[in-house]
Structure formats: C-alpha cells, structure tokens
Amino acid sequence: MMFGAIEAGGTKFVCAVGNEVFEILDQITISTTSPEETMPRVVAFFKPYIGEIKAMGVSSFGPIDVTKGSDTYGYITNTPKVKWQFFDFLGYIKQHIPNVEITWTTDVNGSAYGEYMFREDTKDLVYYTIGTGIGGGAISNGHIIEGVTHPEMGHVPVRKHPDDVFAGICPNHGDCLEGLASGPAIEARLGVNSKDIPASDPYWDIQAYYIAQSAFNTSLFFSPEVIIYGGGVMKVEGLQDKVREQFEAINNGYIDTPLLEEYIVTPTLEDTAAIVGCFAMAKQQIK
Amino acid sequence: MMFGAIEAGGTKFVCAVGNEVFEILDQITISTTSPEETMPRVVAFFKPYIGEIKAMGVSSFGPIDVTKGSDTYGYITNTPKVKWQFFDFLGYIKQHIPNVEITWTTDVNGSAYGEYMFREDTKDLVYYTIGTGIGGGAISNGHIIEGVTHPEMGHVPVRKHPDDVFAGICPNHGDCLEGLASGPAIEARLGVNSKDIPASDPYWDIQAYYIAQSAFNTSLFFSPEVIIYGGGVMKVEGLQDKVREQFEAINNGYIDTPLLEEYIVTPTLEDTAAIVGCFAMAKQQIK
C-alpha cells in the first residue's frame, strides 16, 4: 500500500510518496509562489501514482479551516500570503487527484505527528517551529489536539525581557511570542538575518527567555513528555541550553518535568517530520 | 449498576453514590482537615454500599500523582496542606473499600469531565476554578488531557495590569495567575475577602484582565468550544462580561472563537460538576 504526503510550507512545498513503513519512494520540492503556479506542479508529481495511492496526508501553513462541516473546510483562510487567502486547498487536490482519502491538518501538527510516530514510547508531545512564523502542534495520548480550529501557540503573550525594547511585529498582538521571537522579528530588531547573528551575541539570551516562557506555558497546559523546537532559528549553537536554563529559573522547582536535556529538545526527524506525519495520518485514515 | 464519587476539595470532601444516569442517590459533605480525621468518615459513608458499587471516580485537590507505574501513583504529593503531603489517597481507598475499580484525577479534571458529560454536543472544553487556588482541566475530543502529570494551568505567567502594584503570593512564581488572581491573592492585595468587594469596585477590571489572559492562552493552546470559569471568585456580578471585553481587546480579531457569550461562561452544573464527572469516569472505566 502506498501513501501520499504534502507538506505545504510557507516557503516550499514538499510532496512525497511512501510505503507502509513510511519510507520515501519519491519526493519533490516546489516553491510556494501562488496557487496557480504551485498547485499544478503538485498534481503533476502525484499523477503517475493515481490509483496506487490509497490515502494522503496534507499538512499546510495556516491559518487553515479544519472544522468538518464548515463551508470553508479544507481552505487556507486569512493568511498574510495574499495569493493563498481563502484558497480551497483540499477541494483542488480532490478534484485533480480523485479517489484518495485525504487527511488535512496544520504543518506543525504534521511534524508533531511525525515525531510522535518516530518516538516509540512517547504518547504526549508538543512540536514548535520557530522560523518565518511560530507555530505549535500538540499530541496527547496519540491524538492531534484540535478543537473549534487548530491551536495557535505562536501567538501566546510573553513577558518582555528587561533588556528588550523592541515593540514586536505581530500585526494583531505586537509583542506576542511570534511578534518578538520569529525569524522576521529578529531581523526587524537587529537588522540582520538570524542566521548571521553569532552564537555569542547577547541577543540569544533574550530569545531564550521568550522560548523558555513558551516551554513553561506548554508544560502548564499539556504536561507533555517532550517539547520539540524545530525551525531555522533554533539551530543556533547553544540556544537550547540557554532555553533550558531560563526554563529552570521560570519554573522555580514547581513542575516536576523529565530531565531537561530530554524534555526541551530539537527534532529527531529534522527535515522529514511532517512528511512522516502525513504518511502516518494517511495510514491511520485507512485503518 | 451503582457508582461512587469522591470530590476531594481543599476545603471539603463531597462523597456520593449514583446510578447509571448519574442521579445522586446519597451524598455527604465532610470537612477537609487531616487524613486521620477525614478519610475514616469517607470510608464510613461508602461502607453500606460495598458490593453494590462497581466503580468509583475520585477527583482530588493537588498536586497529585497520576502517572501509572510511578511509586507514588495515587498520592497527593507536595501540597501546601502539610497534613496531606504524600498521603496515599488511592491506597487508603483501595484498602478500605475493596473490589471497586477506581479512576483517579484532579478536582478540576473531574469538573471538566462532568461538564463535558452534561453538554451533549461539546467535545472540547476547558474548565477552570478560581477560588482558594486556580486550576484548569481540559477535555479534548472527549478525553481528559494528561501527560507526564496533570496540567497546572493556574500557574501561567500573565502580564501585570498597569494599575496593579501587587507582587503576588505564589510561593514559586510570585505573580503568576494564581499568585495574582486567586481568592487569597485578592484578599492579600485588598485586605478583604473577595466576597465582600462590591461588583462596582475598580479592582474587578484588573481581575478580568488576568482571567482574560488565561482565556486567551487557553484558546491558543487548545482551541476549545467553550471555556468554563467556576469557583467562588467568578460569581461577582458582571465579571464574566468584563472578561469577555478584555478577551476581545487582547485577541484583537486574531482567533475566530464562538460567540463570546457562549464561549467564556460559568458552569452549568455549578455544584455537582465534579461528582457527575466522577460518576462518568467510573462508568467509563467499567465499559
């Protein structure tokens, strides 16, 4: 049995075909430009596999509509990417790739589910990506947490670091987590891309303070076994250690977490978490 | 079939026996003093029903150990109530009330589950109690959210209201939500019990600001269908409306919630939510 996977990111789409043990058999990367340009290339990739693929998992940048029965279920909704606003993603796929069962969730939920599949003894985890935006996905007892819509853990209000005078760039909340600690926020604050800020720069203490607050909030709300921070910004050397130190200070002995080195971590499946998650969601759907 | 329920609160225990449709057939209220005094009265209440009760739900003040396989599973752990510290609650019950299947969770999880049972079309909700302490319990797709341990939503860091100079009373975090907005925090700040503060007092705008932040965080993490605020402090006239107003200001149009009047609400089962929740957990266990 074969499965399809689409990881629809804000910068690039990854499309893949895999087998029952989630090995990638074929894969393509496509730039995220406009639905008119990007989507026909997605369909072209899957065309040879129509009939072979029984189910497909799609994890998309958001916000997206995940409410079954809603008029815009399967749409990307009010995204800042104007060309993708209220694009009927699922409708397009169903029209062009018929007779395939499709599961649809956010990009971070896809990655969270992939990490969950990979970590055999883990039932509860939260996965964040800290990049162009900040998003989080939670798995509780093996299930993706969704309610009226999907979580939006990147927009949690945080306390300002006393040395940080930056006002934040979130158009809705200004200095929420995403407004202060996403890649574009760092670039707006310091005038350089976060990749070009050396690991020794004192800014990373400020960044760690915000991520540590996110980890603390996450612990209070979900009590997960592990919190995984992926995304470009988190690759800075030493940043995870700083986050753990600040977490310890904020928690002040209150919550009894697992060993911090095993609790606040980077992804195991760095680049393939969402694809594995999509395969797994697809397989789950067939079951 | 009959079920037992124990709602073990910090001030009082409510013990009850109910039937399959969760009608209360017998009930007793016992002061929470010490395990030596309180627990024999609990056992005495259930004694006549031994043999008839097949399963029992217990929801307790915390922190408690809910990790199956842990050495202290079923214990109340490092509570500020010294006499109850590391009391083996479940062990005591099992010893004195034999041959009963017991489900064990926090007091707020019990209330959350009771409200969930009562609200027929609701699958995702979060229940808070704002009283002596602040705690929250979440139901996602019908399941109680627990991980390494139970959530501790009362200790979420909040932003200080600009007019609030109070330092907070949480021994671990100072000015977390519980440290600023629990009953004892209000009393420490204003010198009077929250019951005696008139609804017109400007303090309630500050209180609403903190509760609104809790509601906003809760929305970002769980995206529930409804957030229920129970507990003594929330009974002040007009407070829920103030919370909704402040929520709207903080959210600033970002999350598309249900109508706020149906989204941020008081409990439907004011005094019996936890008992109904315990019956339901007991019945679930038998299934």
Side-chain angles (χ1 to χ4, degrees):
Chain A
M1 197 179 289
M2 280 169 73
F3 303 108
I6 303 175
E7 178 189 6
T11 312
K12 63 182 201 296
F13 276 44
V14 179
C15 303
V17 170
N19 62 17
E20 282 194 75
V21 292
F22 309 148
E23 285 167 334
I24 295 172
L25 304 176
D26 192 4
Q27 179 173 341
I28 193 175
T29 299
I30 301 166
S31 294
T32 308
T33 58
S34 65
E36 294 70 28
E37 273 184 17
T38 306
M39 296 306 291
R41 297 185 61 195
V42 170
V43 170
F45 170 77
F46 286 109
K47 262 282 137 64
Y49 301 103
I50 290 179
E52 290 186 80
I53 296 174
K54 291 282 168 279
M56 182 182 285
V58 180
S59 75
S60 172
F61 72 89
I64 65 175
D65 189 340
V66 294
T67 309
K68 278 173 189 160
S70 157
D71 288 347
T72 52
Y73 175 75
Y75 284 52
I76 295 176
T77 59
N78 58 335
T79 167
K81 292 181 181 289
V82 180
K83 291 175 180 170
W84 294 85
Q85 276 173 3
F86 291 93
F87 172 62
D88 181 8
F89 196 131
L90 221 53
Y92 187 97
I93 296 290
K94 284 187 172 169
Q95 189 189 334
H96 293 88
I97 310 173
N99 302 319
V100 174
E101 293 289 327
I102 301 178
T103 311
W104 161 251
T105 193
T106 61
D107 45 4
V108 278
N109 280 343
S111 298
Y113 204 62
E115 288 282 338
Y116 160 71
M117 290 309 299
F118 188 79
R119 294 169 158 266
E120 282 184 11
D121 296 329
T122 304
K123 293 187 305 178
D124 306 279
L125 65 80
V126 179
Y127 181 100
Y128 280 91
T129 180
I130 316 282
T132 313
I134 298 184
I139 307 290
S140 176
N141 204 16
H143 297 281
I144 293 173
I145 298 278
E146 279 176 355
V148 176
T149 177
H150 52 81
E152 283 286 1
M153 302 180 204
H155 290 263
V156 66
V158 286
R159 289 178 175 175
K160 284 294 279 283
H161 189 285
D163 297 338
D164 190 17
V165 294
F166 184 60
I169 61 162
C170 172
N172 293 75
H173 314 118
D175 55 2
C176 64
L177 181 65
E178 178 169 300
L180 290 172
S182 62
I186 298 170
E187 188 158 351
R189 181 194 278 105
L190 300 175
V192 280
N193 188 296
S194 66
K195 281 194 221 93
D196 301 322
I197 301 168
S200 59
D201 194 290
Y203 172 71
W204 295 116
D205 290 321
I206 294 175
Q207 179 76 8
Y209 181 64
Y210 296 134
I211 306 300
Q213 288 185 61
S214 138
F216 183 57
N217 279 311
T218 302
S219 305
L220 294 170
F221 281 99
F222 295 111
S223 188
E225 291 161 86
V226 59
I227 308 175
I228 302 164
Y229 284 100
V233 173
M234 294 307 288
K235 289 180 182 166
V236 177
E237 203 190 318
L239 181 54
Q240 296 270 343
D241 282 336
K242 287 183 201 289
V243 171
R244 292 182 193 122
E245 273 167 40
Q246 302 251 19
F247 177 92
E248 208 155 16
I250 295 169
N251 182 36
N252 195 22
Y254 187 72
I255 313 170
D256 212 7
T257 66
L259 198 67
L260 288 188
E261 284 67 27
E262 294 165 10
Y263 184 57
I264 298 174
V265 303
T266 48
T268 313
L269 299 169
E270 183 59 60
D271 295 320
T272 56
I275 291 296
V276 170
C278 286
F279 287 151
M281 291 190 305
K283 187 172 177 179
Q284 194 66 29
Q285 171 116 341
I286 291 290
K287 268 193 185 167
Chain B
M1 197 178 288
M2 280 167 73
F3 302 108
I6 303 175
E7 178 189 4
T11 312
K12 63 181 201 299
F13 275 45
V14 179
C15 303
V17 170
N19 62 19
E20 280 195 77
V21 292
F22 310 148
E23 286 166 334
I24 295 171
L25 305 175
D26 192 3
Q27 180 174 339
I28 193 173
T29 299
I30 301 166
S31 293
T32 308
T33 56
S34 65
E36 293 70 28
E37 273 185 17
T38 305
M39 296 306 292
R41 298 185 60 195
V42 170
V43 169
F45 170 77
F46 286 109
K47 263 275 130 73
Y49 301 104
I50 291 179
E52 289 187 82
I53 294 175
K54 290 281 167 284
M56 182 183 284
V58 181
S59 76
S60 173
F61 70 90
I64 65 175
D65 189 340
V66 294
T67 308
K68 278 172 190 161
S70 156
D71 288 346
T72 53
Y73 176 75
Y75 284 52
I76 295 177
T77 58
N78 58 336
T79 168
K81 291 180 183 292
V82 179
K83 291 175 180 172
W84 293 85
Q85 276 173 2
F86 291 93
F87 172 62
D88 180 8
F89 196 131
L90 221 55
Y92 187 97
I93 295 291
K94 284 188 171 167
Q95 187 189 336
H96 293 88
I97 309 173
N99 303 319
V100 173
E101 292 288 328
I102 301 178
T103 311
W104 161 251
T105 193
T106 62
D107 45 4
V108 278
N109 279 344
S111 297
Y113 204 63
E115 288 282 337
Y116 160 70
M117 289 310 297
F118 187 79
R119 294 170 158 264
E120 282 186 9
D121 296 329
T122 304
K123 292 186 305 177
D124 306 279
L125 64 80
V126 178
Y127 182 100
Y128 280 91
T129 181
I130 316 282
T132 313
I134 298 184
I139 307 289
S140 177
N141 205 17
H143 297 281
I144 293 174
I145 299 277
E146 278 175 356
V148 177
T149 178
H150 52 81
E152 284 285 0
M153 303 181 204
H155 289 263
V156 65
V158 287
R159 289 177 176 176
K160 283 294 279 285
H161 189 286
D163 297 339
D164 190 15
V165 294
F166 183 60
I169 61 163
C170 172
N172 293 74
H173 314 117
D175 57 0
C176 66
L177 181 65
E178 179 170 297
L180 290 171
S182 62
I186 298 171
E187 189 160 348
R189 181 192 279 109
L190 300 175
V192 280
N193 189 295
S194 66
K195 281 195 219 93
D196 301 321
I197 301 168
S200 59
D201 194 288
Y203 171 71
W204 295 115
D205 290 321
I206 293 175
Q207 179 76 8
Y209 181 64
Y210 296 135
I211 306 300
Q213 288 184 60
S214 137
F216 184 57
N217 278 312
T218 302
S219 305
L220 294 171
F221 281 99
F222 294 112
S223 187
E225 293 163 86
V226 60
I227 308 174
I228 302 164
Y229 285 99
V233 174
M234 294 307 289
K235 288 179 183 169
V236 178
E237 204 192 315
L239 181 54
Q240 296 269 343
D241 282 336
K242 286 184 204 288
V243 171
R244 292 181 193 122
E245 274 166 40
Q246 302 250 22
F247 176 92
E248 209 157 13
I250 294 169
N251 183 35
N252 194 23
Y254 187 72
I255 313 169
D256 212 8
T257 66
L259 199 66
L260 289 188
E261 285 67 27
E262 295 165 11
Y263 183 57
I264 297 173
V265 302
T266 48
T268 314
L269 299 170
E270 183 59 61
D271 295 321
T272 57
I275 292 295
V276 170
C278 286
F279 287 152
M281 291 191 305
K283 187 172 177 178
Q284 194 65 31
Q285 172 116 341
I286 290 291
K287 266 192 185 168

